[in-house]
Amino acid sequence: MKLMDPSAVQVADYRAAIFDMDGVVTRTATVHARAWKEMFDTFLQEHAARTGTPYRPFDAETEYWEHVDGLPRQEGVRRFLAARGIELPEGEDGDPPERDTIHGLGQRKDQLIQTVIERDGVEVFPDWLERVQQWRAAGVKTAIVSSSRNCRTMIRAAGIEALFDARVDGETARELGLRGKPDADIFLVAAERLGVAPEQSVIFEDAISGVQAGAAGPFALVVGVARHDNHDVLREHGADIAVTALTELS
């Protein structure tokens, strides 16, 4: 780990910048949290009625970050239900949304995210937009990565799809059998699709699992984006630099 001074970093000196979507490029964590809450609250009400147990709604302020943030849909469902002590059959990838299985609940969330995007839109962080335009003008190639299968829908809704030379998301991971974070697979594929060696690429991540993934690969630099004032935590888990906003970088 290099622990460099952010103001001394010249991203334009590198050939590629690879950005995680949620929390770095877009404020979509709030969009996802709304969709997860709507889905889980409906399920939890139905489960409480069937089992005679008290209904306790999904807490988007704590349970979202603890159990589902940054994870593929099915894994988020598994972890949250396990935390609540609720058992459901795994089901299959083609399960319909109305089926009470891990995959069925994942499909429900996928349907809801489309509704939430159309209703609420997608917000882009202005510091990212300012810097990415400058870096692209300087010849830096850019890629976006996300565990979400709705990544393309998100960046299209935000009007920023043209600012990326490559995209590696949940659909890509399913097609290629990529391991999720903290493994570096998703970042390595992004660098490959950009035609740039990992050693010439900078990773931008806001999650612990993301900076761990960046540190696990042979990347030139891992920048932790500490929008929740968690600079020390990101550095402890593998970030070479931690910044509140990308405009702190030269």
Side-chain angles (χ1 to χ4, degrees):
M1 198 174 357
K2 305 169 187 65
L3 295 178
M4 302 167 65
D5 177 4
S7 63
V9 174
Q10 295 280 356
V11 175
D13 290 342
Y14 301 92
R15 292 193 57 206
I18 302 174
F19 304 96
D20 176 60
M21 180 176 71
D22 294 341
V24 175
V25 175
T26 57
R27 204 185 296 273
T28 39
T30 54
V31 177
H32 282 291
R34 290 187 203 115
W36 279 112
K37 179 168 177 59
E38 290 183 28
M39 185 277 286
F40 275 133
D41 281 355
T42 300
F43 166 77
L44 291 168
Q45 287 173 334
E46 295 169 349
H47 178 77
R50 285 195 305 268
T51 61
T53 55
Y55 164 63
R56 180 160 60 95
F58 178 78
D59 189 335
E61 295 299 320
T62 59
E63 291 179 309
Y64 171 77
W65 298 105
E66 291 174 4
H67 305 305
V68 301
D69 177 46
L71 295 174
R73 289 198 304 268
Q74 280 72 32
E75 185 60 24
V77 173
R78 288 187 200 99
R79 294 196 185 189
F80 170 71
L81 294 183
R84 286 290 189 97
I86 299 173
E87 295 184 4
L88 283 184
E90 184 71 17
E92 300 176 351
D93 194 44
D95 280 359
E98 61 270 15
R99 187 165 295 169
D100 281 345
T101 63
I102 299 296
H103 283 271
L105 292 189
Q107 294 292 356
R108 288 190 207 179
K109 190 267 178 176
D110 187 50
Q111 284 190 341
L112 279 168
I113 198 70
Q114 306 291 336
T115 301
V116 173
I117 291 170
E118 292 175 6
R119 184 186 69 204
D120 301 337
V122 176
E123 182 182 354
V124 176
F125 286 106
D127 60 288
W128 173 82
L129 187 60
E130 176 183 333
R131 280 295 186 255
V132 77
Q133 290 172 329
Q134 293 170 345
W135 294 334
R136 284 178 63 84
V140 178
K141 292 186 177 182
T142 55
I144 190 165
V145 301
S146 174
S147 62
S148 173
R149 295 184 186 179
N150 294 292
C151 177
R152 190 173 191 181
T153 301
M154 294 278 195
I155 60 177
R156 279 184 167 177
I160 57 173
E161 187 176 16
L163 295 177
F164 302 104
D165 302 300
R167 169 177 48 86
V168 181
D169 56 16
E171 289 293 344
T172 314
R174 184 176 63 166
E175 292 166 6
L176 301 182
L178 303 181
R179 294 169 296 181
K181 304 169 189 176
D183 287 296
D185 289 11
I186 196 166
F187 293 122
L188 292 170
V189 172
E192 180 183 359
R193 291 189 170 183
L194 290 174
V196 176
E199 294 85 354
Q200 298 172 312
S201 305
V202 181
I203 303 298
F204 292 84
E205 259 287 359
D206 74 314
I208 290 173
S209 62
V211 295
Q212 288 175 325
F219 299 101
L221 195 66
V222 179
V223 179
V225 183
R227 299 200 188 275
H228 301 285
D229 198 26
N230 55 338
H231 301 70
D232 291 343
V233 173
L234 294 178
R235 283 191 290 259
E236 287 168 6
H237 287 85
D240 300 310
I241 301 169
V243 298
T244 304
L246 272 60
T247 44
E248 294 175 37
L249 300 168
S250 176

